[in-house]
Each structure stands twice: as structure tokens, then as C-alpha cells.
């Protein structure tokens, strides 16, 4: 799947370079663009000379500039940085930030492809590409650790720590699990950077068992807006450390490394992947929500459910519409079958047989591969909501969602449209909401509604897809959206984003922002303190 997407991504670069994608730059971009034109050639030469031998400065006329400039979400590919520094060391980041401040340009970090949903890893100033900072160093714990068996799997809890550079992605950590049994809970998209994942929270198919990615953070190295380097942990810069666990990226400084607690694995886990036609949408979603409710405190069971479709024509959209459930279980196959028994009774005879056969025992590394999927390729938009036990979707809401799904206008992007619901609970909800910046504790699901279109689609396709997304979201929630949204699925159209992303934790985040970035150097439309 990833290879296909990488081919698609590479194939669009020439079209993007020809101006096939355009987008109005975010607020403040005009001033940054004007500032960039005032930066002299000598200033750029001075920046290049200050970098380490492993770093590189790219300007727009450099042939290697285009693939580094384009963000993963091509909606924002029309925003072009004045320069890109591919950083190799923390000192490169320091020099780049100090230089940017001196010449009056913003500096924005990006890990690899820049997956930020709202394009906040784009800039008309100086882009700091962190993808060369790929170091991964693991250290086994010397003190006594907790070992426990969960059916066919043995887990040594808090077995050690792994320190990763800011350019490391989820996929980079996969070989640790496959080769050494070392596991850190991460997201399901291999090309997403660990930096953005951990700073905004970090959900995945092991978060109930081991907590969010941000809950595994032990320490992080941060270059501040004045160029100073600090290491944030429970015992050093504790306010900053609190804010880094859920306060989202690009807010307090540029992170160059993260130290995370890992688990050691032996044995296998249970995997399942079910699918039905949209005819079964009401019983499937109602049943799955009940299962998730019943297992809210069962940290071993993980689940994601959703509805979706793709295609250009009304017939294809209707034919491809489906409801699906996928996940894993840290326990025996018999335990997993018992949990999923109500779902296995739903659907046609063929669907029931296929779903029963889809439950199997696999290694943790195989499960990671089977559960992996990238965020949408080319262009996409998303809206999210946090659901609690009191705000689960009713049959009326699900029916409205299914009706709107069949009215999706279509596009050339095979990722199509729909929604996904990521089950929470377990260890996530054992952490008090004020203990970290991630406030969404005690919840049942994160819901993400999404639509996707292709680079080569007519501009009218983008307009109708965006209008459909709002109508889809409004239909589900009857124009009364959930109180909270997930900050790692940022929505540039979200009005009260401060309350939605951070709730009661927002005032403390503003206090930390003023302490570590008093001038607001790190800024974007939904930045803390803006």
C-alpha cells in the first residue's frame, strides 16, 4: 500500500511544479513573503556557511527543492518556502532559527513528508526539514522490570528506553519490533513522523494497552525561539515537558530528539479485519460501540470501525460503500472470538464466513504491518470529534451518515470518503486530563470524518468535496458538533479550536508559551496563544 502511494506521490511532482495545485497562503504568509524578498544573497550564503557538513540549504531554483517543498497534503502545495534547510544536527537547527530571526523570516519544522492535516508544516519562510535526523538508540533498563503474560504473549513492561531523532517515522521503528522485540506505541501510518505524533497525543492500535505515544515520552530535546537548547523531562523544564505531551507541534520550539519508554515482546497477538456492505451499517456500528463500551477498561482489546466509499460515478460509490472493523487483541484467539461474537453474527453468509476466517494469530510485527495504513494521498480534508460514553452515535446519526455517504460527489482519489472511529480507553483513560496537555481522557472514541480528491481532479471537484464534508459532519451531529476535537487531526475551519483541542488545559498551555516563546516566533493560525 505504501509503495503504491509513494509512486502516486512521485508521479504528481511534475504536475505540481507546473502549477496544477494552488492554494491561498495562510494569514501572515504575505508578510513572510515580503520579508523573504528582502533577504540578500549574502544572508543566504551566511546561513549555508553556518551549517554542518551533513546539512544542506536548498533554494527554489535547486533541482532537489521541489520534492522537499511539497507537503503530504497537496492542498497546501501552493505554499513555497523561501529556503529549506535539511538539518543534520541540533546545532543546524540552532543556526537556522537564529538566522531566521535575524533576517525576519518564520522558521517551521517538518518531519519528512509533512503530514499535518491543515498544512501547518508549510511556510513561505524557512522550512526546517528534519528527515536526516534518523538516529535510533535503545537502552535496556538496568533496574527490575515487570514481566507479564497475556495469553500467548509475554510483555516486559518498561524494559528500556529508545531515543529517536526528529526525522524518525513510525515505519523506522518497525524493524525494532521485528528484529529485537522492542515496541513503542505509535500510529498506524508508517510515513508519519514520531515528532508530530507524540507532540499531539499519538493514537494507534496499542494505545489502550500502553498509553498514547505522548504518555511514553521520558524526555525531549528542544531548540527554543532564541536558539537555546533545553532538555525537557519530569525533572528538567517540567512545564515545557507537560506541554509537549499533547500541546501539538510548532508551538514551543523545534524538537530534535525524543526519548520514549519501550516494551519487550515475546509471542503472538490476535488480529481481525471485518467488512460488510452498507446494508449492515446500523447493527455493525451499534454492536461495535457496545463492544467498545463493554471493553472500555479492557486494555488488551483494540478496535477501529468506520464507513467509507470511493469512485466517480453514483453506481460505483454505492457499490463500494461499506462498513468495516479492524483491530488486535493482546490475548488468546478464543478470548478475541468471544469478544467479537456479536459482530460475527451480522451480515450475509459470505460476509460471516469471511469475517470468521479473518481472525488469526500473528506476531506483533506482522500485526503492525497488517494494521498499517497511510493518511490519504494527494489532497484531503478532515473534521474530528471526541465521543464519550454519553455521546455515542445513535441509529439516527448513523442513518444520516450513511445517507450522506451515498451522496458523496466522488473524485479520482481511491481513498474516497467516510468516517473512522478509533476506540479509546484502557491506559489512556487512567491518566488524569490535567496530568498532560492531552485533555481527552475518559473518552470512548476519536471520530474522524474525511474526504479526498486527486491532483488531477477539476477544481470544482475540490469545492464540492469540501462542501460535502461539512454537510456530512453536520448530518452526523445535527449541526451540534462534539465539544472536543483531536489536535493531531487539525481542522482549519474549526471555530473554537482552543476549547476543542485543549479544553481546560488551554490556559496553562498559554502560560508555557509565554514562558518559552514570549515573542510568538513559532506561529500559525491555530498556534497556542494566537
Amino acid at each position: 500500500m505504501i509503495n503504491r502511494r509513494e509512486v502516486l506521490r512521485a508521479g504528481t511532482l511534475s504536475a505540481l511544479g507546473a502549477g496544477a495545485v494552488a492554494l491561498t497562503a495562510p494569514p501572515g504568509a504575505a508578510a513572510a513573503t515580503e520579508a523573504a524578498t528582502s533577504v540578500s544573497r549574502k544572508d543566504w550564503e551566511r546561513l549555508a556557511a553556518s551549517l554542518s557538513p551533513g546539512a544542506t540549504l536548498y533554494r527554489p531554483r535547486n533541482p532537489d527543492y521541489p520534492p522537499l517543498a511539497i507537503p503530504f497534503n497537496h492542498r497546501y502545495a501552493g505554499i513555497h518556502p523561501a529556503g529549506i534547510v535539511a538539518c543534520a544536527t541540533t546545532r543546524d537547527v540552532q543556526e537556522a532559527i537564529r538566522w531566521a530571526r535575524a533576517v525576519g523570516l518564520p522558521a517551521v519544522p517538518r518531519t519528512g513528508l509533512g503530514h499535518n492535516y491543515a498544512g501547518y508544516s508549510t511556510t513561505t519562510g524557512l522550512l526546517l526539514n528534519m528527515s536526516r535526523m534518523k538516529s535510533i538508540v535503545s537502552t535496556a533498563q538496568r533496574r527490575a522490570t515487570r514481566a507479564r503474560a497475556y495469553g500467548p504473549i509475554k510483555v516486559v513492561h518498561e524494559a528500556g528506553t529508545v531515543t529517536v531523532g526528529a526525522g524518525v517515522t513510525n515505519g523506522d521503528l518497525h524493524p525494532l519490533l521485528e528484529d529485537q522485540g522492542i515496541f513503542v506505541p505509535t500510529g498506524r501510518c508508517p510515513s508519519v513522523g514520531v515528532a508530530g505524533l507524540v507532540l499531539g497525543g499519538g493514537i494507534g492500535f496499542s494505545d489502550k494497552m500502553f498509553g498514547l505515544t505522548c504518555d511514553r515520552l521520558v524526555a525531549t530535546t528542544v531548540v527554543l525561539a532564541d536558539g537555546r537548547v533545553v532538555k525537557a523531562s519530569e525533572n528538567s523544564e517540567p512545564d515545557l515537558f507537560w506541554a509537549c505531551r499533547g500541546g501539538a507541534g510548532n508551538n514551543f520550539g523545534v524538537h530534535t530528539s525524543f526519548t520514549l519508554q519501550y516494551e519487550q515482546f515475546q509471542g503472538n497477538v490476535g488480529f481481525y479485519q471485518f467488512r460488510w456492505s452498507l446494508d449492515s451499517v446500523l447493527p455493525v456500528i451499534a454492536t461495535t460501540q457496545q463492544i467498545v463500551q463493554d471493553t472500555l477498561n479492557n486494555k488488551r482489546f483494540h478496535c477501529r470501525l468506520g464507513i467509507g466509499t470511493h469512485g466517480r460515478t453514483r453506481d460505483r460509490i454505492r457499490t463500494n460503500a461499506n462498513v468495516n472493523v479492524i483491530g488486535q487483541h493482546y490475548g488468546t484467539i478464543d478470548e478475541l472470538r468471544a469478544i467479537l461474537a456479536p459482530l460475527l453474527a451480522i451480515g450475509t453468509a459470505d460476509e460471516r464466513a469471511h469475517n470468521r476466517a479473518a481472525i488469526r494469530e500473528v506476531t506483533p510485527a506482522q500485526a503492525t504491518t497488517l494494521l498499517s495504513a497511510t493518511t490519504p494521498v494527494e489532497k484531503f480534508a478532515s473534521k474530528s470529534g471526541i465521543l464519550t460514553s454519553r455521546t455515542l452515535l445513535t441509529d439516527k446519526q448513523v442513518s444520516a451518515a450513511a445517507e450522506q455517504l451515498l451522496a458523496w460527489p466522488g473524485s479520482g482519489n481511491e481513498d474516497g470518503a467516510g468516517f473512522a472511529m478509533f476506540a479509546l480507553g484502557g491506559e489512556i483513560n487512567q491518566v488524569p486530563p490535567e496530568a498532560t496537555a492531552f485533555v481527552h481522557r475518559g473518552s470512548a472514541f476519536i471520530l474522524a470524518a474525511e474526504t479526498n480528491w486527486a491532483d488531477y481532479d477539476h477544481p470544482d471537484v475540490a469545492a464540492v468535496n469540501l462542501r460535502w464534508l461539512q454537510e456530512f459532519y453536520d448530518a452526523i451531529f445535527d449541526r451540534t458538533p462534539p465539544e472536543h476535537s483531536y489536535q493531531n487531526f487539525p481542522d482549519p475551519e474549526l471555530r473554537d479550536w482552543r476549547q476543542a483541542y485543549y479544553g481546560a488545559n488551554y490556559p496553562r498551555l498559554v502560560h508555557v508559551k509565554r514562558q518559552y516563546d514570549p515573542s510568538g516566533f513559532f506561529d500559525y493560525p491555530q498556534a497556542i496563544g494566537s
Side-chain angles (χ1 to χ4, degrees):
M1 186 171 187
I2 296 303
N3 289 337
R4 175 184 67 81
R5 295 177 186 276
E6 288 176 349
V7 169
L8 284 171
R9 179 179 173 81
T12 60
L13 288 179
S14 59
L16 292 168
V21 174
L23 186 87
T24 301
T33 302
E34 184 178 347
T37 60
S38 67
V39 178
S40 70
R41 180 178 175 179
K42 286 187 177 181
D43 285 328
W44 288 109
E45 290 174 348
R46 179 166 55 85
L47 172 60
S50 70
L51 301 174
S52 72
T56 308
L57 171 64
Y58 298 95
R59 297 299 312 288
R61 293 188 179 184
N62 188 296
D64 294 319
Y65 170 96
L68 294 174
I70 182 175
F72 189 82
N73 189 347
H74 293 177
R75 283 183 70 193
Y76 305 98
I79 302 172
H80 305 291
I84 303 171
V85 173
C87 301
T89 68
T90 296
R91 183 170 177 79
D92 291 330
V93 177
Q94 285 182 281
E95 293 293 341
I97 290 175
R98 287 170 177 159
W99 178 90
R101 291 199 67 150
V103 301
L105 288 183
V108 173
R110 176 187 294 173
T111 299
L113 301 180
H115 278 262
N116 188 284
Y117 280 27
Y120 296 148
S121 59
T122 60
T123 181
T124 55
L126 186 66
L127 182 66
L128 309 183
N129 185 292
M130 314 295 283
S131 60
R132 294 185 185 179
M133 302 181 74
K134 288 279 195 180
S135 63
I136 300 176
V137 179
S138 60
T139 304
Q141 209 82 299
R142 293 183 179 180
R143 60 180 174 82
T145 54
R146 296 182 295 119
R148 184 175 174 182
Y150 301 92
I153 191 168
K154 178 183 177 182
V155 180
V156 178
H157 292 281
E158 299 179 359
T161 60
V162 57
T163 299
V164 302
V168 169
T169 64
N170 289 335
D172 293 328
L173 293 179
H174 177 76
L176 289 179
L177 177 61
E178 186 173 358
D179 300 334
Q180 302 176 46
I182 291 175
F183 177 77
V184 174
T186 60
R188 69 186 305 214
C189 177
S191 58
V192 163
V194 171
L197 180 80
V198 67
L199 293 174
I203 58 173
F205 282 99
S206 296
D207 48 16
K208 288 181 65 182
M209 182 76 168
F210 303 114
L212 301 167
T213 313
C214 71
D215 296 334
R216 311 301 296 178
L217 187 66
V218 175
T220 179
T221 301
V222 190
V223 181
L224 301 178
D226 60 7
R228 289 184 298 126
V229 178
V230 298
K231 188 167 186 176
S233 67
E234 288 284 5
N235 300 317
S236 175
E237 315 290 344
D239 285 345
L240 179 60
F241 183 62
W242 174 88
C244 291
R245 290 172 291 163
N250 294 11
N251 272 309
F252 310 104
V254 177
H255 297 253
T256 60
S257 72
F258 301 86
T259 300
L260 303 152
Q261 198 99 47
Y262 72 74
E263 316 297 301
Q264 194 83 42
F265 277 82
Q266 289 181 349
N268 296 329
V269 298
F271 166 81
Y272 64 97
Q273 185 172 23
F274 301 161
R275 185 184 177 101
W276 302 260
S277 76
L278 204 61
D279 293 338
S280 295
V281 67
L282 288 178
V284 168
I285 291 188
T287 301
T288 307
Q289 287 187 134
Q290 187 60 56
I291 289 173
V292 168
Q293 279 287 90
D294 294 342
T295 59
L296 195 64
N297 296 319
N298 178 352
K299 66 181 185 179
R300 295 189 288 157
F301 176 73
H302 296 75
C303 176
R304 170 206 174 277
L305 71 151
I307 63 174
T309 191
H310 65 275
R312 283 192 177 276
T313 67
R314 188 61 45 217
D315 286 345
R316 294 311 304 166
I317 289 168
R318 183 172 292 275
T319 299
N320 293 329
N322 69 91
V323 55
N324 52 83
V325 181
I326 186 172
Q328 69 174 334
H329 176 64
Y330 292 94
T332 67
I333 291 297
D334 287 342
E335 289 174 338
L336 181 56
R337 287 197 183 101
I339 292 171
L340 298 172
L343 281 176
L344 292 172
I346 298 173
T348 66
D350 286 346
E351 287 171 339
R352 295 196 304 271
H354 178 272
N355 290 340
R356 283 195 299 270
I359 301 175
R360 61 189 190 274
E361 186 176 303
V362 298
T363 68
Q366 289 171 328
T368 297
T369 300
L370 291 167
L371 293 165
S372 69
T374 192
T375 50
V377 73
E378 298 184 20
K379 302 176 190 175
F380 59 93
S382 179
K383 307 184 83 64
S384 71
I386 308 295
L387 304 182
T388 68
S389 298
R390 298 185 304 277
T391 60
L392 297 179
L393 298 186
T394 65
D395 282 353
K396 180 181 177 181
Q397 289 174 291
V398 174
S399 294
E403 183 178 344
Q404 283 296 122
L405 183 69
L406 294 177
W408 180 58
S411 79
N413 190 323
E414 66 180 68
D415 278 300
F419 72 63
M421 296 171 63
F422 304 87
L424 304 176
E427 289 295 322
I428 302 170
N429 293 357
Q430 297 303 307
V431 179
E434 71 278 2
T436 68
F438 187 89
V439 75
H440 315 300
R441 310 289 181 169
S443 302
F445 289 99
I446 292 176
L447 181 146
E450 195 172 84
T451 190
N452 310 271
W453 60 101
D455 287 334
Y456 54 81
D457 281 332
H458 190 276
D460 289 348
V461 173
V464 295
N465 267 265
L466 290 171
R467 185 164 58 250
W468 175 87
L469 178 63
Q470 186 63 60
E471 292 170 349
F472 183 56
Y473 193 76
D474 287 345
I476 296 171
F477 297 111
D478 195 24
R479 298 185 179 276
T480 305
E483 180 182 2
H484 287 160
S485 298
Y486 183 33
Q487 54 267 45
N488 261 0
F489 297 159
D491 173 11
E493 304 301 320
L494 189 59
R495 291 182 180 179
D496 192 4
W497 57 266
R498 298 166 183 83
Q499 170 64 26
Y501 296 156
Y502 307 114
N505 285 342
Y506 187 72
R508 184 176 176 185
L509 284 165
V510 173
H511 173 76
V512 176
K513 176 73 170 180
R514 291 172 179 168
Q515 183 180 355
Y516 287 93
D517 183 18
S519 67
F521 177 71
F522 298 108
D523 189 33
Y524 56 95
Q526 292 181 341
I528 300 296
S530 62

